Amino acid sequence: MGSIGKDVLHVDRMDNGTLPPCFSAPYGLLRVRLAEGYPVLYCNGWLRSRLPACTQLADCLSERVLGQLDRALRLAGDGGEVDLELEVFGENNRTTYLLLGGAILDGLLDAAVLDITAWRMGERSAPERPCRAVAETASTVMTFDANITRDQLTDADAAWYRRCGLAGLSTYSGLLRAVCEKALYPQHRAQFAEQFGRETVLCAFAEGKREIRYEYLGVGLDRQPIWLEATMTLLRDRATEDVCGLLHIKNIDRRKKQEQELRRRAERDELTGVLNRQAVQAQIDRVLAEGAGTGRRCALLMIDLDNFKRVNDTYGHVQGDTVLSGFAARLRGIFRETDVIGRIGGDEFVILVRDIPQRDTAARKAAQVCGVMQSDDPTDNPPEGEISGSVGIAFSPDDGVTFEELYYKADIALYRAKRQGKNCCAAYDRARDML
């Protein structure tokens, strides 16, 4: 069945000659130190049969292929990923084609290796290029093999365990607790423990599930946050009928940060950098829902720039865009990072001021907004000096507990502020505004 090698997860053929269900092609795993000649620190039994008496990866590669490997490793760099086909000379000068994929970390290449000879030779029975196992193991940072039924930690990636302070553990439950305490950020501990708890894993296997995944924010070896993905493949030991798990923890920090950046861009107003209408509404509704029933008071400020149309007509839309982006920047200087700022459209902005002690706090903030574009400096750009702001205020929970309710009331108050001569603020007053 699956087992752990000295330094790295590997999967050998099972007793009956088959492979675990998660792999569709002959599979091995290799650990190489990135030094001259690429010394092989570890390779599992299946791979050793392809690389007989191999102490250096360079011993089995032609100069051409070695050059390809060298370029790939240099381009990837530390923390990078490698996906490369290798032409290997094995026993009796038999050529074997291997697909190598993995990640470089701290000068070591951990690589999953697949035999794709049949695919390269064009045999009709060969499957499509079998990349899954390579992709699954790329960027692996920690591995272990456990008997879930007996709560035994069969073996582990010793080097990583020592560095993470997890050495000396013998039970799966003990390992799970230690990983949660030492290698996860608090907000992910409970869910991680639930996902990979013994009872959960055994129930999942009984229901026919053979793979469990979870993405979480972990603590890197440099004590900095890093996004990781834990994947456990479940197998049954044919000799004992025990349920066993092969788990590897993969570095997905680069992908996760790219996803977060795309999400951030999708949520941001392109011109001003504050939240767009859809995102600000969703975020405000989320904040209000979290505070429901707690007695926390929030204020929704609805802001409309006075005289903005005249600025656009007089100075042009390019100058108008500059005014909008400048106004948004100044808003960020007035409000806290925990407050929610968004642009609804045109020259209209909304701000949710969170957890205010009293209503006067919102009024003082609104007064700052009204004068934020005013300046006594004659060198200031003329359009900005002509801009002021009118603000309507609605309070939660007094005036509503959703974005739509507060927006409606703040809009009514804003209309009253405009009628009072602009460049001022007004709070929603049911007795006055519903007449």
Side-chain angles (χ1 to χ4, degrees), residues 51-66:
L51 307 174
C54 179
T55 58
Q56 294 188 349
L57 191 59
D59 294 343
C60 298
L61 304 177
S62 67
E63 288 296 327
R64 177 180 60 82
V65 175
L66 188 60

Side-chain angles (χ1 to χ4, degrees), residues 13 61 72 121 169 246 250 275 293 309 312 325 327 342 365 408 435:
R13 289 182 178 275
L61 304 177
M121 300 303 290
L169 298 169
L246 305 171
K250 176 180 176 181
L275 295 172
K309 183 178 184 302
N312 260 344
S325 60
F327 180 72
K365 289 290 185 181
Y408 173 71
L435 294 177

Side-chain angles (χ1 to χ4, degrees), residues 148-410:
I148 309 299
T149 302
R150 300 174 187 264
D151 194 21
Q152 293 176 346
L153 182 61
T154 309
D155 207 341
D157 183 338
W160 275 98
Y161 272 58
R162 285 194 301 272
R163 294 178 70 180
C164 294
L166 302 175
L169 298 169
S170 59
T171 66
Y172 172 73
S173 299
L175 172 71
L176 194 62
R177 285 193 299 271
V179 168
C180 287
E181 292 171 4
K182 298 183 178 182
L184 273 74
Y185 273 75
Q187 63 266 38
H188 294 283
R189 289 173 183 169
Q191 185 65 24
F192 187 93
E194 172 64 23
Q195 288 281 95
F196 295 104
R198 284 185 65 230
E199 291 186 7
T200 302
V201 171
L202 292 172
C203 286
F205 187 85
E207 294 169 359
K209 195 170 184 178
R210 295 296 180 266
E211 188 175 83
I212 300 173
R213 291 175 180 265
Y214 182 61
E215 295 181 358
Y216 64 95
L217 192 62
V219 181
L221 294 176
D222 57 359
R223 311 310 299 169
Q224 296 301 308
I226 180 173
W227 278 100
L228 301 167
E229 179 185 62
T231 302
M232 176 176 280
T233 301
L234 302 177
L235 310 168
R236 186 182 292 282
D237 188 319
R238 297 179 184 274
T240 65
E241 295 297 310
D242 292 342
V243 175
C244 299
L246 305 171
L247 186 143
H248 65 269
I249 296 176
K250 176 180 176 181
N251 182 344
I252 59 168
D253 199 59
R254 182 183 299 176
R255 171 174 67 79
K256 199 71 176 179
K257 287 178 178 176
Q258 288 174 343
E259 291 175 357
Q260 290 173 339
E261 176 61 19
L262 290 174
R263 189 180 303 115
R264 189 195 69 80
R265 291 182 182 179
E267 293 177 346
R268 296 287 163 174
D269 175 62
E270 187 174 353
L271 175 62
T272 62
V274 299
L275 295 172
N276 58 33
R277 182 186 182 106
Q278 183 177 5
V280 75
Q281 179 173 349
Q283 192 162 327
I284 289 175
D285 272 330
R286 186 163 55 250
V287 171
L288 294 174
E290 290 172 355
T294 63
R296 295 176 182 171
R297 180 184 287 114
C298 298
L300 184 78
L301 276 57
M302 185 172 177
I303 306 165
D304 185 82
L305 294 185
D306 303 322
N307 308 319
F308 183 71
K309 183 178 184 302
R310 187 169 67 216
V311 168
N312 260 344
D313 293 343
T314 303
Y315 298 98
H317 289 279
V318 172
Q319 190 63 59
D321 288 349
T322 300
V323 169
L324 289 175
S325 60
F327 180 72
R330 297 188 189 194
L331 287 181
R332 286 192 288 266
I334 294 174
F335 295 93
R336 301 165 297 178
E337 289 186 5
T338 53
D339 298 328
V340 184
I341 305 175
R343 181 185 176 204
I344 297 298
D347 59 345
E348 187 177 307
F349 294 80
V350 294
I351 301 168
L352 185 74
V353 187
R354 302 177 61 172
D355 302 327
I356 57 175
Q358 52 194 11
R359 295 169 71 98
D360 287 350
T361 303
R364 288 195 297 271
K365 289 290 185 181
Q368 286 182 265
V369 170
C370 291
V372 72
M373 301 297 280
Q374 304 298 306
S375 174
D376 297 328
D377 188 346
T379 63
D380 273 358
N381 205 340
E384 293 192 359
E386 299 175 18
I387 292 292
S388 61
S390 295
V391 185
I393 310 172
F395 294 92
S396 173
D398 301 343
D399 301 323
V401 294
T402 68
F403 174 83
E404 289 293 346
E405 291 171 343
L406 295 178
Y407 182 84
Y408 173 71
K409 305 287 179 61

